Amino acid sequence: MKKVVLSILLIGAATYANAQKSEVSKAKNAWGLASLPGAKTLDETLKSLEDGLKTTDNAIANEKSKVMPEAWSYRALFASRISFVDSLNIANAIAKDKIAEEAIAKAKELDTKGGEKENIKEAEQTLSNALRNRAIFAYNKKDFKSALQFFNELTVKNPQDTSTFVNAGVTAKQINDYPEMVKNFKKAIDLGSKDSESLYSEIISTEFSQVKDTVAGTALLEAALAKYPENPYFSGMQTDLYIKQGNVAKAQESLAKLIAKDGKNASYQYAMGDTYYKQALDLQGKRNKIDPKKKKEFDEVTVKMKGFIDQALPYYKKAYELDPKMVSALENLKVIYAFKDDKVNYEATKKLLDAQNGTPAAAPKK
């Protein structure tokens, strides 16, 4: 009699276990059908996936099957695929994101033997792809605010993906969110982006011209020069910074290095001429304030001023020689020849300027 009772109990237990597994089996079968290749409309595809997701509702509702990692991994697969496919209904896609994320977390918790590792990985990748598509769709629609939000969410999911940080930075620039742009580009640089050199150019220029943060811009410029010492743009910016700071010695030192590397660069020659010419103009301002009775002091300043003019002259001549379209070099040469009372060169330079419709600069007074 005991054996008969035991057999009945065992049969009951097996039936119950099979009932649990059947819920999960339905989900697996539904996934297999939904994944079959073939021409389907968007509505057909979504219906198949939504139906499949419903089969997992029963699986995770059952007290026994809800502890089976398969129940959650297939739920994650369905939900993530809907999020990826349903590009027309953003609200539905985002809602499915949450379901997928919860299912992935639960599957990882229960999958102690790693049997659902591949399904979990696929669901995670599909979620990332869905979010990337969402960001791109928003960007193409010029909804840059939403696109930035999606790209930023994607950087959290893929913290080592440099392209995602670059995309986030590019999107932030579209809405003039410069701090966000700089943050994302800097992260891409830190991760070793192949575009680091151009990204440095972007954020350095932005810090100086848009954010107006000279301290941050200078720090970035120094970091860029340390990494790309041969980059003429960075060296040129450093030179400009020295000039603006009034640090003539540093500016000339920097320009001398640039000219040594590329003596045929007209801009470097012109900039070096400027370092001398601007000192002459500064002295002219000081000389104008000197009491005419103090002839000795006046003459001393004049001598220094002439010295700077003479030093500037060959660089401006070289700049024009290298770039005949550089009107600014001609303008300054005309001013210098007028100051030096060099009528022959003045007239020749004036003709060149007139031919290019240039506007002459103001000459330092003698």
Side-chain angles (χ1 to χ4, degrees):
M1 184 65 185
K2 289 182 180 179
K3 288 184 179 180
V4 174
V5 173
L6 182 60
S7 297
I8 292 172
L9 289 174
L10 286 174
I11 291 171
T15 302
Y16 186 61
N18 287 333
Q20 298 166 28
K21 291 181 180 179
S22 70
E23 299 297 339
V24 176
S25 294
K26 287 179 184 178
K28 290 181 179 180
N29 292 336
W31 177 250
L33 290 172
S35 301
L36 284 175
K40 294 180 183 177
T41 65
L42 176 61
D43 287 342
E44 289 172 340
T45 300
L46 284 172
K47 184 179 186 310
S48 176
L49 292 170
E50 291 283 5
D51 288 345
L53 182 61
K54 287 177 183 177
T55 65
T56 67
D57 291 342
N58 294 330
I60 65 168
N62 187 287
E63 284 298 319
K64 297 296 182 180
S65 60
K66 72 177 184 181
V67 296
M68 298 172 67
E70 299 99 310
W72 295 97
S73 69
Y74 280 93
R75 184 173 180 79
L77 286 171
F78 280 116
S80 61
R81 183 67 67 84
I82 294 169
S83 176
F84 177 75
V85 171
D86 199 1
S87 57
L88 299 179
N89 190 337
I90 298 298
N92 183 50
I94 292 175
K96 294 305 188 291
D97 271 359
K98 294 178 180 179
I99 292 174
E101 287 169 354
E102 291 171 357
I104 288 170
K106 193 66 177 178
K108 285 182 176 180
E109 176 191 331
L110 297 172
D111 191 28
T112 56
K113 296 181 180 180
E116 296 303 304
K117 183 179 179 180
E118 290 303 315
N119 282 346
I120 293 171
K121 183 179 179 182
E122 181 180 342
E124 288 179 323
Q125 186 59 56
T126 303
L127 270 186
S128 291
N129 291 340
L131 190 54
R132 181 176 286 103
N133 282 359
R134 206 173 298 148
I136 293 171
F137 289 150
Y139 185 94
N140 289 338
K141 287 166 57 180
K142 300 189 183 303
D143 181 4
F144 300 121
K145 186 175 181 181
S146 295
L148 179 58
Q149 176 190 333
F150 296 143
F151 276 129
N152 279 338
E153 288 176 16
L154 197 56
T155 63
V156 176
K157 291 181 180 293
N158 301 283
Q160 301 301 313
D161 185 358
T162 59
S163 64
T164 302
F165 285 100
V166 171
N167 287 339
V170 169
T171 306
K173 185 179 180 180
Q174 292 289 345
I175 53 176
N176 299 331
D177 189 343
Y178 298 116
E180 193 70 15
M181 169 195 151
V182 171
K183 181 193 77 174
N184 280 291
F185 280 179
K186 280 178 67 178
K187 186 63 179 179
I189 291 170
D190 293 342
L191 290 172
S193 169
K194 61 182 178 59
D195 298 315
S196 290
E197 197 165 358
S198 60
L199 293 177
Y200 262 126
S201 297
E202 283 277 353
I203 59 178
I204 290 170
S205 174
T206 298
E207 286 288 7
F208 282 120
S209 63
Q210 302 296 337
V211 183
K212 308 294 185 184
D213 189 339
T214 304
V215 175
T218 301
L220 286 169
L221 182 57
E222 290 174 353
L225 276 167
K227 195 170 184 178
Y228 305 103
E230 301 298 319
N231 185 297
Y233 175 75
F234 299 145
S235 299
M237 283 203 73
Q238 187 179 58
T239 300
D240 289 342
L241 189 61
Y242 288 145
I243 291 172
K244 288 176 183 177
Q245 293 172 342
N247 194 337
V248 178
K250 279 286 189 180
Q252 291 177 338
E253 179 185 345
S254 180
L255 280 167
K257 291 178 182 178
L258 290 173
I259 291 171
K261 292 175 185 175
D262 185 6
K264 294 184 177 181
N265 187 305
S267 296
Y268 298 160
Q269 299 286 347
Y270 181 86
M272 182 66 93
D274 258 7
T275 63
Y276 294 108
Y277 186 68
K278 287 178 179 178
Q279 289 184 83
L281 291 178
D282 286 342
L283 285 174
Q284 177 187 308
K286 292 178 181 178
R287 192 182 67 165
N288 290 341
K289 296 177 182 179
I290 296 175
D291 188 333
K293 296 178 182 180
K294 298 180 179 179
K295 187 176 182 304
K296 182 180 178 182
E297 184 180 347
F298 183 90
D299 289 344
E300 287 176 351
V301 173
T302 301
V303 169
K304 289 181 181 179
M305 191 169 73
K306 287 181 177 179
F308 286 130
I309 288 290
D310 288 340
Q311 286 176 293
L313 181 60
Y315 289 106
Y316 286 144
K317 287 174 68 176
K318 186 66 175 178
Y320 177 70
E321 176 188 323
L322 292 169
D323 183 4
K325 293 182 179 180
M326 187 176 278
V327 174
S328 55
L330 276 179
E331 289 175 341
N332 287 350
L333 283 170
K334 180 184 173 184
V335 171
I336 289 173
Y337 290 135
F339 176 78
K340 294 172 70 68
D341 201 20
D342 185 340
K343 293 182 174 60
V344 174
N345 281 313
Y346 174 84
E347 289 300 329
T349 305
K350 184 176 182 300
K351 286 181 181 179
L352 291 171
L353 266 174
D354 289 343
Q356 297 193 39
N357 296 317
T359 303
K365 296 177 182 179
K366 282 190 167 186

